[in-house]
Amino acid sequence: MKKLFENIHVDHEFADWVKSLTGCDGGNLQGEYYFCGIEPGTGGQESEPMLYITPTIPGYMTKSGLGIPSWTNIADTGGFRIDENRTKVRFDQKVAKLYLTIKKREHDLKSVGDFILNELSTREGDTFKFNLYPLSFKSHHDILWHEAHFKLTGLPTKALYRAYCQLVRFPIFRSLVEEYSPKAVICFGRQYARDFGMAFGGQIHGYGQLPEKIASGSKKIIHLQINNKKTQLFILPF
């Protein structure tokens, strides 16, 4: 895959940025449970991709003053403080309910909100929350790639952007799993099953049919043993 990018001039700042823990909400890398989404879903209108996010939380850095957030030194600084609006984010609610259910804790509305605010992205918590891909979009469609994205990255298509992330970003996630050996990595978005499989289990899980099992409600989930069987990888419908 490296040869694919030999004649493409990837922006050098973007190349460094994408290899950081950009797109991560933070948490405890030594926690038992990692939760992974596809990409930050806070992008603006489809015709106006959100590239100019204004970070207000310590720990962010910006690329050339554009205000694109990159979470750095999570292991040193721990998670970051989350404002109360995060309790309304559907993905955070889903993660909170699932974790509280796994732990056989109360998962009513108040318990979910308290968990999101006080545990989900904190150093003292038991979870780490992040995304495969760092740029924020309103949806996952490839058509949401505009001139602004090209100027930012040097990559002419979203497909090439994902491929570049797979080449330089996915190995970082695998190394984190190998170093910290979480009990489970729980991912959301079955349409990206091969991406998740490759990110955490290596190239062997980037093709072919991944093993499925029936969960509650007859919804199929994908389950793999990774990290020399020390970590369970689950890929759930969003």
Side-chain angles (χ1 to χ4, degrees):
M1 188 185 287
K2 290 182 180 180
K3 290 184 177 181
L4 178 64
F5 296 98
E6 287 181 354
N7 297 317
I8 296 177
H9 300 291
V10 179
D11 179 89
H12 70 279
E13 287 185 308
F14 173 78
D16 290 338
W17 180 76
V18 81
K19 287 185 285 188
S20 71
L21 290 179
T22 298
C24 301
D25 284 350
N28 182 5
L29 283 168
Q30 299 183 37
E32 285 192 323
Y33 294 92
Y34 285 16
F35 291 93
C36 187
I38 300 166
E39 61 194 13
T42 55
Q45 298 298 318
E46 293 193 0
S47 59
E48 299 177 2
M50 184 183 236
L51 295 180
Y52 300 89
I53 303 172
T54 303
T56 58
I57 302 168
Y60 277 125
M61 69 178 185
T62 62
K63 176 188 177 299
S64 300
L66 292 182
I68 300 172
S70 174
W71 183 255
T72 58
N73 299 322
I74 288 181
D76 296 327
T77 61
F80 53 73
R81 203 174 283 175
I82 296 180
D83 64 66
E84 292 185 4
N85 288 329
R86 294 298 295 180
T87 62
K88 302 175 184 178
V89 176
R90 180 182 165 207
F91 183 64
D92 286 7
Q93 292 174 351
K94 185 183 291 285
V95 167
K97 289 177 182 178
L98 179 57
Y99 176 81
L100 292 172
T101 300
I102 291 172
K103 289 295 187 177
K104 297 182 179 179
R105 291 167 52 181
E106 292 292 331
H107 52 274
D108 55 27
L109 188 61
K110 183 180 184 304
S111 299
V112 167
D114 288 345
F115 175 80
I116 292 172
L117 290 175
N118 301 315
E119 295 185 53
L120 179 57
S121 297
T122 64
R123 175 187 284 179
E124 296 79 16
D126 192 33
T127 59
F128 180 67
K129 181 171 169 282
F130 58 118
N131 290 286
L132 278 186
Y133 300 106
L135 289 179
S136 177
F137 293 91
K138 189 176 180 64
S139 71
H140 308 307
H141 300 310
D142 282 5
I143 196 173
L144 300 185
W145 193 260
H146 301 272
E147 183 180 2
H149 294 99
F150 172 65
K151 289 181 177 179
L152 173 75
T153 66
L155 299 165
T157 69
K158 193 175 182 183
L160 281 173
Y161 154 72
R162 284 199 302 266
Y164 188 74
C165 290
Q166 291 163 8
L167 179 66
V168 304
R169 183 174 171 85
F170 283 14
I172 296 171
F173 292 149
R174 284 197 296 278
S175 68
L176 289 176
V177 170
E178 290 169 1
E179 179 177 357
Y180 294 102
S181 294
K183 184 175 183 178
V185 178
I186 302 173
C187 308
F188 296 87
R190 276 178 43 91
Q191 70 271 39
Y192 281 80
R194 291 189 180 91
D195 299 55
F196 289 122
M198 185 164 52
F200 302 110
Q203 294 182 10
I204 191 171
H205 298 305
Y207 68 93
Q209 184 68 33
L210 298 178
E212 296 179 337
K213 62 187 297 186
I214 303 296
S216 61
S218 298
K219 290 185 177 180
K220 292 183 178 180
I221 66 173
I222 291 170
H223 173 226
L224 299 169
Q225 290 185 324
I226 58 173
N227 190 24
N228 293 320
K229 298 185 178 181
K230 291 182 286 188
T231 301
Q232 307 299 313
L233 174 64
F234 297 96
I235 305 171
L236 285 62
F238 188 79

